[in-house]
């Protein structure tokens, strides 16, 4: 026997064998154990036992099956919405008998730029007011502006919460200008440099590691599956921060995001998913019953049914920028003759408008049988048999599309003191980076 022609079908994997073909297979059964229901039942259970495994702890191996990229504008909106003017800068400088009291007068502006000697630094600029005093007497007041280079890092707490830390004890005041009573330090380079050095020493002494933002764990599919932020990267070439995430799901070999691309100008945030994570999560949903594992002769979900489904792969497609190629097997494990059909089916990720609001969609396309074993191999060659499991495939692909949508679709993320409300603006399946990207705008709402 050979695979022969591959048929495109609207209801793939139909390989339930009718009595009319039993004689043609009888000679094969003795020669080919792939038709044995006992053999195929054992193989099916072996595959099932390896799907959807939950690890005892969050993996921290640096492969990042999911990531969150935040643009420079997004970082400013996020930190100003959550932190506001609480960025530490208020301090006192002593210059001889004079004391200069500084107080921020503007929200900080984050600049994600390359800082020589500090790959994990960001620049924070702000305006301030100050008062100059001598002893108990006030001498004058003025205004100014400063730019600080501050290392940032991500720390993870025991519950999986990611904490973005600004290391003020290592901060450097890159520039500091003051204007008081007609005197402008910009016209006096030596004085401006001395002020920056004094301010650097003072800030390092007065402030230590400062918490900027807390990001809780993501739940995928169920409370058992977690994704948590474990590392943060400053990416000046994209003017963005990149938050790498790990999961407690066992992942297929080769899973891990490649170097991402920059966000479009109108996107404040991008959620990036490796298709391997979507595969592992879909397999887990089979384990948890969110997607039916077994089906009866009518194609309806049935825990005792003779037909079963396993998922063997997901990858970004080179055919279209909205397509995920999905591979699964439909097994027959009981009856006269057994086996499995190998099926390829596209999932299409798109953005629709529902009630004037943007809404993510995942739709399953037409599957096709691309091979098989035992009775499934026969199905790949016999067009008359491919329609026999139409209902089974319809049920399976609807559940799969629903679970993938739940995985990539987020309405909000809770951060301490605030809630970030998302609005999707675009989707992309990137075959070069092998990632499924959801691009977002967002609004920060203070919690009551």
């Amino acid at each position: 026997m050979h695979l022969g022609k591959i048929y495109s079908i609207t209801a793939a994997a139909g390989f339930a064998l009718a009595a009319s073909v039993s004689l043609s297979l009888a000679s094969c059964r003795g020669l080919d154990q792939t038709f044995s229901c006992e053999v195929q039942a054992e193989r099916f259970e072996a595959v099932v036992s390896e799907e959807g495994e939950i690890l005892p702890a969050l993996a921290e191996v640096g492969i990042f099956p999911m990531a969150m990229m935040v643009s420079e504008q997004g970082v400013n909106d996020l930190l100003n919405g959550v932190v506001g003017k609480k960025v530490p800068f208020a301090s006192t400088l002593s210059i001889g008998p004079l004391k200069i009291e500084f107080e921020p007068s503007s929200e900080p502006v984050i600049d994600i730029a390359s800082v020589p000697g500090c790959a994990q630094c960001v620049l924070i600029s702000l305006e301030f007011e100050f008062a100059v005093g001598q002893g108990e007497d006030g001498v004058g007041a003025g205004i100014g502006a400063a730019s600080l280079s501050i290392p940032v890092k991500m720390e993870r707490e025991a519950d999986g919460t990611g904490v973005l830390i600004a290391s003020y004890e290592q901060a450097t005041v890159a520039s500091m200008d003051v204007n008081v009573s007609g005197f402008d330090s910009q016209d006096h380079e030596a004085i401006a440099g001395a002020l920056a050095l004094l301010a650097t020493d003072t800030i390092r002494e007065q402030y230590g590691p400062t918490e900027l933002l807390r990001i809780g764990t993501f739940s995928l599919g169920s409370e058992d599956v977690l994704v948590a932020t474990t590392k943060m990267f400053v990416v000046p070439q994209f003017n963005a921060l990149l938050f790498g995430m790990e999961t407690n799901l066992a992942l297929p070999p080769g899973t891990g995001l490649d170097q991402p691309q920059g966000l479009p100008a109108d996107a404040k945030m991008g959620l990036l998913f490796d298709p391997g994570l979507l595969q592992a999560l879909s397999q887990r949903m089979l384990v948890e019953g969110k997607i039916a594992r077994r089906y009866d002769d009518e194609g309806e979900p049935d825990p005792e049914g003779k037909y079963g489904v396993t998922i063997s792969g997901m990858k970004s497609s080179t055919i279209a920028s909205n397509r995920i190629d999905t591979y699964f097997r439909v097994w027959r494990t009981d009856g006269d003759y057994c086996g499995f059909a190998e099926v390829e089916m596209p999932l299409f990720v798109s953005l629709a408008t529902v009630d004037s609001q943007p809404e993510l969609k995942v739709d399953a396309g037409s599957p096709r049988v691309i091979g098989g074993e035992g009775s499934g191999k026969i199905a790949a060659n016999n067009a008359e048999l491919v329609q026999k499991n139409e209902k089974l495939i319809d049920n399976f692909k609807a559940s799969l599309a629903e679970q993938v949508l739940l995985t990539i679709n987020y309405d909000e993320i809770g951060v301490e003191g605030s809630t970030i409300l998302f609005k999707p603006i675009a989707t992309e399946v990137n075959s070069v980076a092998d990632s499924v990207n959801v691009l977002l705008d967002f609004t920060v709402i203070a919690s009551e």
Side-chain angles (χ1 to χ4, degrees), residues 102-321:
F102 294 92
E103 186 70 31
S105 61
S106 71
E107 293 183 340
V109 176
I110 311 296
D111 183 15
I112 302 175
S114 181
V115 177
C118 186
Q120 288 291 96
C121 279
V122 298
L123 295 174
I124 297 182
S125 301
L126 57 103
E127 297 176 352
F128 57 83
E129 299 172 347
F130 66 92
V132 183
Q134 184 172 8
E136 299 295 328
D137 302 321
V139 176
I143 58 175
S147 176
L148 294 80
S149 168
I150 305 175
V152 289
K153 61 182 178 180
M154 178 65 65
E155 294 183 350
R156 192 172 68 85
E157 297 186 340
D159 64 355
T161 298
V163 184
L164 183 61
I165 301 292
S167 300
Y168 272 83
E169 75 282 6
Q170 301 175 44
T172 299
V173 178
S175 65
M176 186 167 180
D177 301 315
V178 298
N179 191 310
V180 56
S181 301
F183 172 83
D184 190 340
S185 64
Q186 288 184 335
D187 299 328
H188 302 274
E189 186 175 336
I191 294 177
L195 283 173
L197 289 174
L198 284 170
T200 295
D201 291 339
T202 300
I203 288 174
R204 288 183 177 183
E205 290 173 0
Q206 293 185 0
Y207 301 108
T210 301
E211 180 180 308
L212 296 180
L213 181 68
R214 301 173 69 86
I215 304 175
T217 56
F218 289 61
S219 293
L220 300 182
S222 71
E223 294 182 358
D224 293 332
V225 181
L226 299 178
V227 174
T229 305
T230 58
K231 196 163 185 179
M232 186 276 303
F233 304 89
V234 179
V235 193
Q237 64 266 40
F238 296 148
N239 296 109
L241 297 183
L242 182 66
F243 297 87
M245 300 179 179
E246 303 279 12
T247 181
N248 63 344
L249 263 179
L251 298 170
T255 300
L257 290 166
D258 297 327
Q259 177 67 40
Q261 299 177 353
L263 298 174
D266 58 343
K268 294 180 183 178
M269 181 181 291
L271 293 179
L272 319 177
F273 303 85
D274 188 292
L277 175 63
L278 305 183
Q279 175 185 334
L281 193 281
S282 299
Q283 291 172 331
R284 181 64 193 176
M285 294 303 95
L286 281 166
V287 173
E288 296 186 5
K290 302 291 195 311
I291 303 173
R293 172 75 76 184
R294 285 188 172 274
Y295 301 81
D296 62 19
D297 285 325
E298 302 301 319
E300 297 293 346
D302 180 356
E304 304 300 324
K306 67 175 65 173
Y307 298 98
V309 177
T310 59
I311 298 172
S312 49
M314 286 188 181
K315 66 178 183 178
S316 56
S317 176
T318 58
I319 297 175
S321 61

Side-chain angles (χ1 to χ4, degrees), residues 332-346:
R332 176 169 173 157
T333 59
D334 190 20
D336 294 329
Y337 301 98
C338 295
F340 65 81
E342 191 79 42
V343 185
E344 178 187 70
M345 182 181 70

